Amino acid sequence: MITQSTYQKIYLPVFILFTFLLTLVILTASGSVPSLAESNVNPSNQPDSSTGPKQTGENSGRETVKDSSIGWITVDADEFDHIQNAVRNKGGEFDLKVAEKRGAFIVAEADERQILDLTRSMHEEFHKCGGFMWHETLAAAELSIDETSRAQTDKTAVVYSIDNQTTVNAMLTETQEPQIRETITRLSTDFPNRRHNQPSGTNSANWIKNKWTALAAGRSDVTVEFFVHSAAVTPQPSIIMTVQGTTLPNEVVVMGGHQDSINRNGATLNAPGADDDASGIATMTEVIRVMIAKNFRPQRTVKFMAYAAEEVGLRGSNEIAADFQTRAVNVVGVLQLDMTNYKSINSPADIILITDFTNASQNQFIRDLIMYYQPSITFGDSTCGYSCSDHASWTNKGFAASFPFESEPSNQTIHTTGDTLAQSGNNASHALKFANLAVSYLGELAKGTQGTTGLTYEADVQSRPTGDGFVDADDVEQIRRFVVGGGLPYQSNELQRADCSPRSTAGDGTVDADDIQQARRYSVGIDSNQLTGGPGSVPPPIDFSSDDLFGSLIGSLNLRGERTKRGGVPVIAALRADGQYTVAGQSLTVPIRVDAVGDEAGYSFSLNYDAEKLTNPQITIGTAGGNVIFNTNTAGQIGLSVTSFNGGKIVAGTNQILVYATFSTAAKAAGETIVTFTDTQARRKASGVDPNIQIMQPSYTNGTVRISPFKNFK
């Protein structure tokens, strides 16, 4: 028989032990006690004491990340096993759930806390960023491994050459260390935590977008946009600046770096990331600034990218690369800029070329660029393993990517509060070498030329009044406006530049449809740009005090015409205005018809009308034309330029409607009025693009409008 005192002796220790265990469970669940994996990294369980300024509303202490973003990661199997053993040897538990082993890789399920633990372990064991790729679904993870296994890293994507030295050297003289240093400073101090799912991660993305947009101001061929990722991927948007190519716009060159930062000891701790990767973004920003400052116009389209969420599995670049793959975008080269400003005193080389999961042919091109444009710096080769930076996303999707890295041994302060500019001597001298490499890569892979200002090329009339050293679609549009009277050449040599045809004589003293077509040829690279010359070097003085110069100058701008012959027989197109009936006070529409011989690229002409009877003229495109601009500023006259769709042809055929001219009639108007043609021209493309384009003068028939004062006039 057990007495009461015996029960008390047994139950009291049990009760105390139960209470202790229950308290421990509650504290662990609330985040007051770290996971075992975390305790191995920071046994003291104290907040990071070296935190700097923090964003408003963000905690600088440690806190457990909610398991709100469960996904699938792919990781090198050997590295995974190594980390697992290392954690267990320290008494911790590596709790990633392995779904399958697929060749040399493992697929595992992971949430945000586990990803933070893996990031920490990758840094401690292999001294590298990431080392894994995140995927939204298991199927996507399996597909990614298959694509990596199939990637042809020895495939040559494009013919590499170094033959654009004048343009590249001019840009290299412009790169500046203080500019790079300033951007690093701003990102690392104004946004000391740029983690992808923190408010400052979005704020810093806005800052980068605004910075790039400001740099690109005035360039109509440049756009800056957010790439908004799906909610499961990241709330942080990537930023993409697109510079439209001039002659090879469907071939794309990509230059990128990641914008996010991370502290391996906690999601909300400060992570200034001055080297990783404010330095890469700053290097790329300097390339953008130089490109704009030197008015570089690439032949191939160039896309600068600031990737979101690299530190948690290359999420931003992976989604972008997958999108480009799906849309079959012809990416001919990718350059990754991730950590460019730290150099160890023990490093034998200035630039390290990562050779695994990159393209061998493009890597050799990078080496050639260094030797040619920066012969004084040293370089070497190394490897960094699976998915160590965003270049892996592009390689995974079949694109040629290269990753020049800053130094070996690498910067040991990354992913901590210590990753500041001070680690690089408070300067950006090392990053300047990468900026120069990126400039040479831009100039020699995208090709293109540097623009100038002032007295430059035939047809270069935009931006007004001096031009910008290039002939593109903006110049074609402005010359069209000159032809129809929508503005007049007013700078001392602007008329001379607009008058670019015939090309052999650099113009003939008039601006007409002929010049529109020649400007088009310059803009698409059919004819090489030609320095300004020809008639009009010193044009006669013009009185610009008058608000209405169109009537006095349209004749001198648009008089010339001649017939072209085929087999000795004149071939003449015909324009005519339809006769119409209407009632005073009502509107009417006059179709302008064309009998086209065929292969006609466009027409330039004026319509004259009685402004006391017909008012409020409007022009809309008909079935035969493709594009029209018109000028209605002068009462009684409409200047028009009608061109074919996309530079093609207005096909042969009679009775086609070129444009519609719509008028209102005066309330007291009555009787007949005539719509007449003047200054009529057509441009001809005999077949495809004819280098000896002729001008022909179409015949024309005026239209009679009868206006009845009666409501029911027949």
Side-chain angles (χ1 to χ4, degrees):
M1 184 178 197
I2 301 176
T3 64
Q4 185 177 13
S5 60
T6 303
Y7 282 108
Q8 289 174 338
K9 291 178 181 179
I10 295 173
Y11 286 133
L12 184 59
V14 172
F15 175 79
I16 294 172
L17 177 61
F18 174 80
T19 303
F20 171 78
L21 291 174
L22 179 61
T23 302
L24 181 62
V25 169
I26 293 173
L27 289 174
T28 302
S30 67
S32 299
V33 176
S35 68
L36 291 176
E38 287 177 321
S39 66
N40 288 326
V41 176
N42 188 353
S44 66
N45 191 31
Q46 294 298 313
D48 194 318
S49 60
S50 56
T51 57
K54 60 174 182 273
Q55 292 287 313
T56 302
E58 292 186 11
N59 187 355
S60 63
R62 292 185 52 117
E63 59 183 46
T64 301
V65 183
K66 296 180 180 179
D67 299 345
S68 59
S69 181
I70 296 176
W72 301 86
I73 65 167
T74 51
V75 61
D76 182 273
D78 291 339
E79 292 183 351
F80 184 90
D81 291 342
H82 177 91
I83 290 173
Q84 187 177 50
N85 292 331
V87 171
R88 288 174 177 173
N89 288 338
K90 295 176 183 178
E93 180 61 35
F94 194 66
D95 58 353
L96 279 172
K97 180 181 178 181
V98 176
E100 64 176 297
K101 182 175 180 181
R102 205 173 182 89
F105 304 100
I106 278 177
V107 180
E109 189 177 15
D111 59 31
E112 283 286 324
R113 191 269 306 165
Q114 291 168 322
I115 286 174
L116 184 62
D117 285 349
L118 179 60
T119 299
R120 181 186 305 114
S121 296
M122 279 288 185
H123 179 90
E124 291 177 345
E125 298 300 324
F126 298 105
H127 306 293
K128 71 176 186 178
C129 293
F132 59 92
M133 189 178 294
W134 182 93
H135 312 274
E136 191 171 350
T137 65
L138 175 60
E142 293 171 335
L143 174 62
S144 177
I145 290 176
D146 293 341
E147 289 179 325
T148 295
S149 301
R150 293 194 301 264
Q152 299 179 24
T153 56
D154 58 348
K155 181 180 178 181
T156 300
V158 69
V159 176
Y160 300 107
S161 62
I162 298 179
D163 55 12
N164 200 19
Q165 296 92 335
T166 300
T167 299
V168 172
N169 284 325
M171 289 194 288
L172 289 176
T173 63
E174 179 66 25
T175 58
Q176 300 174 20
E177 180 273 334
Q179 295 284 346
I180 304 173
R181 186 192 339 137
E182 170 65 15
T183 303
I184 294 174
T185 300
R186 290 294 305 277
L187 283 173
S188 60
T189 59
D190 291 3
F191 309 99
N193 181 337
R194 301 187 300 281
R195 186 175 170 87
H196 78 109
N197 58 0
Q198 295 295 317
S200 57
T202 301
N203 294 340
S204 59
N206 284 318
W207 185 88
I208 294 169
K209 181 176 182 291
N210 292 337
K211 174 80 171 180
W212 289 4
T213 301
L215 287 174
R219 282 282 293 264
S220 62
D221 61 329
V222 180
T223 59
V224 183
E225 300 172 308
F226 277 136
F227 186 102
V228 179
H229 298 281
S230 63
V233 174
T234 177
Q236 185 179 51
S238 294
I239 303 104
I240 300 179
M241 169 186 277
T242 300
V243 187
Q244 189 70 14
T246 56
T247 60
L248 299 170
N250 294 326
E251 298 183 12
V252 178
V253 176
V254 173
M255 193 178 299
H258 72 88
Q259 56 176 301
D260 62 318
S261 65
I262 193 171
N263 188 314
R264 67 178 187 256
N265 294 317
T268 57
L269 295 177
N270 280 357
D275 191 30
D276 186 19
D277 182 35
S279 66
I281 295 298
T283 299
M284 189 162 44
T285 300
E286 178 64 358
V287 176
I288 293 171
R289 187 192 69 80
V290 168
M291 177 194 70
I292 299 297
K294 291 299 185 180
N295 213 354
F296 175 71
R297 304 292 178 110
Q299 292 181 359
R300 294 184 169 103
T301 294
V302 179
K303 290 182 179 288
F304 297 91
M305 301 187 182
Y307 305 119
E310 183 267 356
E311 298 284 11
V312 287
L314 318 186
R315 299 189 190 188
S317 61
N318 188 27
E319 190 168 26
I320 293 172
D323 173 67
F324 277 45
Q325 181 193 53
T326 299
R327 294 190 290 114
V329 178
N330 184 17
V331 176
V332 300
V334 179
L335 185 70
Q336 175 69 5
L337 295 170
D338 185 356
M339 298 172 59
T340 64
N341 198 39
Y342 173 83
K343 183 183 178 184
S344 168
I345 59 174
N346 298 316
S347 177
D350 295 297
I351 296 177
I352 301 294
L353 264 293
I354 301 301
T355 57
D356 57 338
F357 301 97
T358 57
N359 183 271
S361 297
Q362 185 173 253
N363 288 345
Q364 184 56 49
F365 177 57
I366 299 293
R367 297 184 190 99
D368 293 342
L369 290 174
I370 296 172
M371 288 187 290
Y372 189 90
Y373 287 108
Q374 300 185 83
S376 63
I377 71 173
T378 57
F379 61 90
D381 294 341
S382 187
T383 60
C384 70
Y386 177 71
S387 293
C388 69
S389 193
D390 293 301
H391 65 283
S393 295
W394 294 96
T395 299
N396 179 260
K397 297 303 178 185
F399 301 107
S402 293
F403 179 23
F405 188 64
E406 63 186 5
S407 176
E408 282 191 347
S410 61
N411 187 346
Q412 298 300 295
T413 67
I414 64 169
H415 301 175
T416 73
T417 57
D419 185 7
T420 66
L421 191 59
Q423 297 299 320
S424 299
N426 290 313
N427 65 70
S429 297
H430 196 54
L432 183 63
K433 303 168 189 174
F434 286 80
N436 289 334
L437 173 58
V439 163
S440 63
Y441 178 84
L442 172 69
E444 291 291 5
L445 188 58
K447 299 303 183 183
T449 55
Q450 173 193 351
T452 56
T453 57
L455 186 64
T456 54
Y457 297 118
E458 291 289 299
D460 175 24
V461 291
Q462 280 283 31
S463 299
R464 299 186 71 187
T466 60
D468 58 9
F470 290 93
V471 181
D472 53 25
D474 289 341
D475 299 291
V476 177
E477 184 68 12
Q478 185 57 57
I479 292 176
R480 290 180 70 196
R481 294 181 181 278
F482 288 154
V483 168
V484 301
L488 296 166
Y490 60 88
Q491 189 70 9
S492 62
N493 69 311
E494 191 173 23
L495 175 60
Q496 183 189 22
R497 283 177 279 132
D499 172 27
C500 57
S501 179
R503 184 168 180 264
S504 59
T505 58
D508 57 5
T510 65
V511 178
D512 49 38
D514 193 17
D515 300 295
I516 296 172
Q517 296 304 319
Q518 183 57 60
R520 281 179 172 173
R521 292 171 63 84
Y522 285 136
S523 71
V524 299
I526 295 172
D527 294 331
S528 299
N529 285 347
Q530 180 171 304
L531 290 175
T532 305
S537 296
V538 185
I542 300 175
D543 179 10
F544 289 100
S545 61
S546 172
D547 293 332
D548 179 14
L549 292 175
F550 180 74
S552 62
L553 288 182
I554 190 64
S556 64
L557 291 176
N558 209 5
L559 282 177
R560 184 167 53 94
E562 62 186 62
R563 295 184 179 183
T564 185
K565 295 184 178 181
R566 184 180 298 163
V569 178
V571 179
I572 303 175
L575 290 169
R576 63 182 179 275
D578 279 5
Q580 294 292 307
Y581 299 89
T582 189
V583 175
Q586 296 185 357
S587 64
L588 82 155
T589 298
V590 178
I592 308 300
R593 298 183 183 271
V594 60
D595 293 341
V597 175
D599 291 344
E600 287 149 17
Y603 299 87
S604 173
F605 57 91
S606 299
L607 285 177
N608 297 303
Y609 60 93
D610 186 344
E612 293 185 358
K613 294 184 178 181
L614 303 179
T615 60
N616 191 30
Q618 295 295 320
I619 298 293
T620 54
I621 198 68
T623 56
N627 300 286
V628 62
I629 62 170
F630 59 93
N631 170 41
T632 59
N633 293 334
T634 301
Q637 192 171 56
I638 309 171
L640 296 100
S641 176
V642 185
T643 57
S644 55
F645 285 103
N646 300 321
K649 62 183 180 180
I650 297 174
V651 299
T654 60
N655 208 34
Q656 302 178 77
I657 299 176
L658 191 64
V659 294
Y660 296 95
T662 300
F663 302 90
S664 298
T665 58
K668 296 182 179 180
E672 293 184 351
T673 185
I674 300 176
V675 176
T676 64
F677 292 84
T678 60
D679 308 316
T680 311
Q681 285 190 340
R683 291 299 282 129
R684 183 162 194 72
K685 288 185 176 180
S687 61
V689 177
D690 180 0
N692 299 306
I693 295 175
Q694 300 289 324
I695 303 170
M696 63 181 180
Q697 180 75 46
S699 65
Y700 57 86
T701 303
N702 300 328
T704 300
V705 176
R706 296 180 63 189
I707 306 172
S708 170
F710 305 107
K711 184 175 182 180
N712 296 315
F713 177 82
K714 296 292 185 183

